[in-house]
Amino acid sequence: MDVLQVNFVGSSDGEWNVTTIHTLCGETLAPVAAISRFVDSAPMLQLDDWMLRSFTSNLRYTTASEARRLAERQQGLGRPASAHAALIPIRKTADWWALPQDERRAIYEERSRHTSIGMDYLPRIARKLHHCRDLGEPFDFLTWFEFAPEDSAAFDELVGRLRETEEWDYIDREIDIRLVHAG
Ligand code: HEM
């Protein structure tokens, strides 16, 4: 698979206008009016902008049959109807990272049903997972979602269900940023 470098820039204007920033836990981010997602390109930063760096990567917790079902159902980013988006940067705890891979998978799917829950919302919600722990960034993941305005309530339900799971006990920084396409 291709590894893409993906940079998110918070600025005074950009591709997506910020509607709300909700800090669920941990330190917040400086408020900005807009966020842009740059794939394999280096953005020019203005004073007071912030940038979060990340990259796409291979799957860690997905079985072959789950990968097939995801591929059958999910749709890509950039659909014309996807006027709404969410950027949710997440950091997991030291306790999570100290667990062996099989115990993390058991929490993630066998007990928390992350992929199973998420599958209920495909193809309405388009998603992309970006990794940044290995870059020494302030978050471990930058999660990105795009959906039509009429699916906003479904997205709220999805994040509500995930945040009740055991997996979320291992999250100590989470900021839910909602966006509307500026175009
Ligand atoms: C649209 C529905 C969703 C689906 C189908 C889905 C599916 C997945 C899958 C398959 C993975 C595992 C990737 C791998 O094997 O490494 C994953 C990881 C992840 N997802 Fe979701 N997800 C959804 C929604 C969400 C939401 C709403 C959030 C945040 C609020 C989220 C946060 C994460 C995080 C942080 C990871 C990385 C977990 C880790 O590696 O420890 N997901 N998701």
Side-chain angles (χ1 to χ4, degrees):
M1 67 162 288
D2 286 346
V3 173
L4 301 173
Q5 310 292 325
V6 183
N7 297 313
F8 290 88
V9 172
S11 189
S12 53
D13 65 277
E15 192 186 352
W16 297 87
N17 291 325
V18 173
T19 52
T20 56
I21 300 185
H22 182 200
T23 303
L24 289 119
C25 56
E27 198 190 330
T28 192
L29 270 172
V32 284
I35 289 176
S36 303
R37 179 175 180 270
F38 292 90
V39 179
D40 275 343
S41 60
M44 293 282 288
L45 296 186
Q46 314 288 324
L47 206 65
D48 294 334
D49 289 357
W50 49 249
M51 181 164 84
L52 297 172
R53 298 177 309 138
S54 66
F55 56 92
T56 58
S57 187
N58 55 284
L59 298 172
R60 274 104 163 131
Y61 300 106
T62 306
T63 64
S65 69
E66 288 164 354
R68 266 194 307 277
R69 279 186 288 136
L70 285 163
E72 277 163 19
R73 286 205 213 173
Q74 65 192 2
Q75 292 179 0
L77 302 182
R79 294 175 297 184
S82 292
H84 284 197
L87 171 64
I88 309 183
I90 283 178
R91 184 181 67 200
K92 285 190 164 175
T93 61
D95 284 352
W96 170 265
W97 293 109
L99 291 170
Q101 179 75 16
D102 56 345
E103 287 180 23
R104 280 187 263 141
R105 157 77 197 186
I107 295 166
Y108 166 90
E109 185 59 20
E110 276 70 37
R111 305 217 288 274
S112 299
R113 316 300 300 166
H114 183 131
T115 299
S116 308
I117 291 172
M119 211 92 78
D120 290 345
Y121 298 86
L122 303 180
R124 289 175 289 173
I125 311 297
R127 53 176 279 273
K128 186 63 83 179
L129 178 63
H130 309 87
H131 294 255
C132 36
R133 176 176 166 80
D134 295 341
L135 298 175
E137 285 282 293
F139 297 93
D140 294 334
F141 308 97
L142 305 178
T143 65
W144 176 257
F145 308 91
E146 293 179 6
F147 43 91
E150 57 269 29
D151 290 324
S152 295
F155 187 73
D156 288 339
E157 181 187 277
L158 163 65
V159 293
R161 286 175 70 187
L162 288 174
R163 286 177 184 142
E164 282 170 9
T165 63
E166 184 183 344
E167 185 191 357
W168 251 252
D169 294 344
Y170 293 90
I171 289 176
D172 65 5
R173 192 173 180 197
E174 179 178 10
I175 305 170
D176 187 329
I177 306 171
R178 299 298 175 92
L179 306 145
V180 174
H181 201 264

